[in-house]
Amino acid sequence: MDGQISWRVRHVWGRNLQVFLRTWKVSFLPPLFDSLFFLIALGYGLGQFVQEIDGVGYARFVAPAIVAIGIMNASYFETTYGSFVRMYYQKTFDALIATPITIEEVIVGEILWGATKAVIYTALILPLLAVFGVISLPDSLLLIPLALLGGLLFGAIGLCFTAWTPSIDTLSYPQFLFITPMMVLSGTFFPIESLPLPVQYVAYAVMPLAHIVSLARALTLPAAAPFALVSLAWLVVATGLVMFIAVRQMRRRLVV
Amino acid sequence: MTQPAILAEGLEKRFGALVAVDRCSFVVNEGEVFGFLGPNGAGKTSTMRMIACVSPKTGGRLEVFGLDVNERPREIKAMIGVVSQENNLDPDLSVYDNLVVFARFFELDRAEAARRADELIEFFGLGEKRDTVIEVLSGGMKRRLTIARALINRPRLVILDEPTTGLDPQARALIWERLRTLRDRGSTILLSTHYLEEAERFCDRLVIMDNGKILIEGRPDEIVSSRMGRAVIETVDDPAVLACLAREGIAYERFGDLVHITTNSPEPLIQRLVSSCNPSRLSVRNATLEDVFLRLTGRGLKD
């Protein structure tokens, strides 16, 4: 039963896609509205009282961060609440591992699906933001590969919490202890440089969103981004590491 | 001698200090219907999960079609179909989609998957519900679909954990009827059930388990005749009758307000009872697997 991962992963992903294609009409709209509300409230409402940052208006400053938050939410919620429902209530994983598919393939397939949700979200929100004039196309299309990377990372993070949580109720703990602070402190709504230096270090050390936000800005705004490659490397290494942990932890939970 | 479908030797499963399966040995031959009987917590499900390669064994030897479960789980899983106790269908998908999505996990191509799905829908009488989302199906239909789904890869071995539990008699009859067809086509069937009468009729051989151990193994009729004799005489639990039985030297068991006397030749015994003990009520019936089951596993509640 040792780690076996093959191209059968695509069947796990395909199963989720098939269900999504059946229910997409109800599930794809909320995240888009979420982002647009943030853009209106912050970019246009609050933005009237905020000076330009790095030579751009506030709406253009928060737009890439709103996409970054959307990437995080799309994948993280898919592999926490979505995966937990499949694992615990629908027993989907039990059905899958009764076939030639291994538990490792189930886990990797779930993470890939989480990342796919982030990519779908990004592909849909970009033209909307372009209509509002807060990002420019086609330059910003590079946010789509970023969504894949960020989606893999947050998908894997979500699955770790799914492996550890005793019930669906306790999934709210990582949300308000990890996701919410990250959403507001990762240089999303104000430049991370305005935080005290030690807090900045902590933010870059433990908050994946901080790296995604800074990369998203580097890809959409003209401002110089000296640490973009560092952020990219951080994300790649973290994604590999957390995926490894997610597979191990889920195996511990499910193989009994 | 041909290779057995399942070979278990000293098979063991422990969860920490709890021993769920305690050094069990058994052989299931190809083409046989083999039953696991036992009270809740006896170790039936744990044994079946190890055979299905979803739960690693703690010790002992376990082979399915000659392949070791630890070394070749993927190949074994390709040859078996599993119906677990809990419904794990995809609630968002239709009957048909549940089958074709599952077919992909076995690498069946699209055309073959479609053909088998329609065949199975027909076989299990689900034609009218083909495109219905399964959430709205009755319990019996869901169960039929779960069994249909387990057959999508044309398995050599079908493992069913309590396939008829919680269903009405009509739904149960239909499921047994379909399983019988499957058996006649040569599939090996491994199942657990709490319906002892059904097990007695349907299983070629069976084991009764309790506390992780196999208590008895054999053909249902042989188990009954060797353990109980042919018949059970039931009479009232009355002090005068008990005293009389003791006086006559007739062995008996007390079950609630009844007294059971097991025997191979009921007629002379009944005459003796009527003439010497004169009980207010007396009846005789065939001994059943349930009698053996209760004698072996006790009458106390198990959980």
Side-chain angles (χ1 to χ4, degrees):
Chain A
M1 307 226 169
D2 50 323
Q4 283 183 317
I5 298 175
S6 76
W7 44 285
R8 282 181 170 88
V9 163
R10 78 188 192 286
H11 298 313
V12 181
W13 182 87
R15 181 241 158 242
N16 288 339
L17 178 69
Q18 183 124 6
V19 173
F20 176 75
L21 290 177
R22 217 169 159 122
T23 57
W24 67 273
K25 290 186 197 94
V26 282
S27 58
F28 88 105
L29 277 176
L32 298 180
F33 274 110
D34 220 40
S35 299
L36 292 181
F37 287 140
F38 265 111
L39 180 70
I40 291 163
L42 296 171
Y44 298 107
L46 184 68
Q48 294 180 33
F49 307 96
V50 181
Q51 64 197 39
E52 286 196 341
I53 302 168
D54 297 332
V56 297
Y58 189 63
R60 286 182 70 86
F61 173 80
V62 288
I66 287 172
V67 177
I69 292 169
I71 290 170
M72 169 175 82
N73 285 341
S75 49
Y76 175 81
F77 283 97
E78 184 59 37
T79 59
T80 47
Y81 289 93
S83 295
F84 192 84
V85 165
R86 285 191 283 277
M87 170 182 80
Y88 189 85
Y89 294 102
Q90 301 185 357
K91 312 277 175 199
T92 308
F93 296 179
D94 293 340
L96 282 162
I97 59 170
T99 75
I101 291 169
T102 63
I103 189 69
E104 289 82 3
E105 287 160 353
V106 173
I107 302 317
V108 173
E110 288 284 304
I111 295 172
L112 276 177
W113 175 245
T116 306
K117 289 288 285 278
V119 169
I120 294 172
Y121 157 82
T122 308
L124 293 171
I125 196 71
L126 285 181
L128 287 174
L129 294 179
V131 168
F132 279 86
V134 288
I135 56 156
S136 49
L137 291 175
D139 315 18
S140 302
L141 287 179
L142 282 172
L143 288 180
I144 291 176
L146 179 66
L148 180 63
L149 178 60
L152 286 174
L153 177 53
F154 276 106
I157 290 172
L159 264 188
C160 289
F161 291 126
T162 300
W164 295 325
T165 193
S167 77
I168 199 158
D169 300 318
T170 45
L171 274 178
S172 60
Y173 282 82
Q175 198 185 325
F176 78 79
L177 292 174
F178 179 63
I179 296 296
T180 304
M182 194 158 41
M183 184 174 91
V184 293
L185 295 176
S186 295
T188 40
F189 306 132
F190 55 86
I192 203 163
E193 292 76 24
S194 25
L195 291 169
L197 203 56
V199 180
Q200 283 184 48
Y201 288 144
V202 173
Y204 279 121
V206 302
M207 292 185 172
L209 187 62
H211 295 280
I212 297 177
V213 166
S214 83
L215 276 173
R217 285 217 174 92
L219 294 170
T220 50
L221 297 178
F227 298 113
L229 283 178
V230 177
S231 282
L232 184 63
W234 192 99
L235 287 173
V236 170
V237 171
T239 301
L241 189 69
V242 181
M243 278 181 81
F244 177 76
I245 296 171
V247 169
R248 291 274 300 246
Q249 294 301 311
M250 283 301 273
R251 191 164 54 193
R252 226 176 67 164
R253 172 165 194 150
L254 292 173
V255 180
V256 288
Chain B
M1 163 116 191
T2 52
Q3 179 191 64
I6 303 168
L7 173 72
E9 264 175 27
L11 182 62
E12 213 177 1
K13 181 73 195 182
R14 269 183 257 129
F15 299 103
L18 176 84
V19 184
V21 178
D22 193 358
R23 284 160 294 164
C24 285
S25 300
F26 57 90
V27 169
V28 178
N29 298 311
E30 192 144 16
E32 194 169 44
V33 179
F34 194 89
F36 277 101
L37 273 49
N40 289 331
K44 308 182 297 288
T45 300
S46 294
T47 306
M48 295 176 116
R49 282 170 53 83
M50 286 190 281
I51 296 166
C53 303
V54 294
S55 171
K57 64 184 162 74
T58 315
R61 182 172 159 210
L62 181 59
E63 288 177 5
V64 182
F65 297 116
L67 305 177
D68 186 288
V69 289
N70 278 13
E71 284 159 21
R72 318 271 287 274
R74 237 204 258 268
E75 286 154 83
I76 294 173
K77 290 198 286 181
M79 288 189 283
I80 65 180
V82 180
V83 179
S84 64
Q85 225 173 90
E86 290 162 309
N87 162 31
N88 55 24
L89 295 164
D90 266 324
D92 306 300
L93 299 181
S94 69
V95 167
Y96 179 79
D97 284 345
N98 259 284
L99 294 172
V100 290
V101 166
F102 213 70
R104 274 190 235 138
F105 306 153
F106 292 94
E107 309 292 332
L108 296 180
D109 68 47
R110 206 176 276 264
E112 182 63 21
R115 190 161 52 237
R116 290 193 193 179
D118 281 323
E119 221 175 82
L120 287 165
I121 285 171
E122 178 78 13
F123 184 60
F124 282 96
L126 292 163
E128 275 174 34
K129 304 287 176 185
R130 183 182 184 275
D131 299 311
T132 308
V133 171
I134 66 116
E135 221 158 14
V136 301
L137 296 186
S138 70
M141 286 184 186
K142 281 185 188 162
R143 198 100 281 245
R144 263 139 69 196
L145 179 58
T146 311
I147 299 173
R149 192 184 62 173
L151 303 179
I152 198 87
N153 58 326
R154 305 223 168 115
R156 282 170 76 184
L157 168 67
V158 188
I159 300 176
L160 306 109
D161 198 358
E162 297 186 22
T164 54
T165 298
L167 302 183
D168 63 34
Q170 285 83 355
R172 274 176 17 219
L174 186 102
I175 285 177
W176 287 120
E177 206 254 310
R178 289 299 181 269
L179 291 178
R180 216 164 276 138
T181 310
L182 211 61
R183 174 187 64 184
D184 296 342
R185 291 180 190 168
S187 296
T188 308
I189 298 177
L190 186 69
L191 63 93
S192 73
T193 180
H194 287 305
Y195 297 101
L196 297 165
E197 198 199 330
E198 292 173 352
E200 194 168 355
R201 260 185 299 158
F202 189 64
C203 294
D204 297 315
R205 282 193 309 133
L206 54 86
V207 292
I208 297 178
M209 291 183 79
D210 198 14
N211 297 320
K213 287 194 169 69
I214 291 178
L215 303 178
I216 194 165
E217 188 224 292
R219 289 163 44 115
D221 52 346
E222 284 173 5
I223 288 179
V224 175
S225 61
S226 71
R227 285 299 171 122
M228 299 298 295
R230 201 156 62 82
V232 175
I233 299 169
E234 283 178 350
T235 181
V236 283
D237 190 340
D238 172 283
V241 174
L242 294 184
C244 169
L245 287 172
R247 205 164 52 237
E248 294 284 321
I250 299 168
Y252 64 89
E253 284 172 285
R254 295 171 71 183
F255 289 139
D257 56 355
L258 285 178
V259 169
H260 280 184
I261 302 148
T262 56
T263 174
N264 268 322
S265 41
E267 292 82 3
L269 194 57
I270 291 170
Q271 281 174 11
R272 227 171 108 198
L273 282 169
V274 171
S275 57
S276 48
C277 300
N278 193 27
S280 61
R281 221 174 69 223
L282 188 73
S283 63
V284 59
R285 59 173 174 79
N286 288 333
T288 65
L289 199 56
E290 187 155 345
D291 297 316
V292 184
F293 185 91
L294 291 172
R295 181 177 275 185
L296 287 175
T297 61
R299 294 211 163 225
L301 279 178
K302 291 294 182 170
D303 58 8

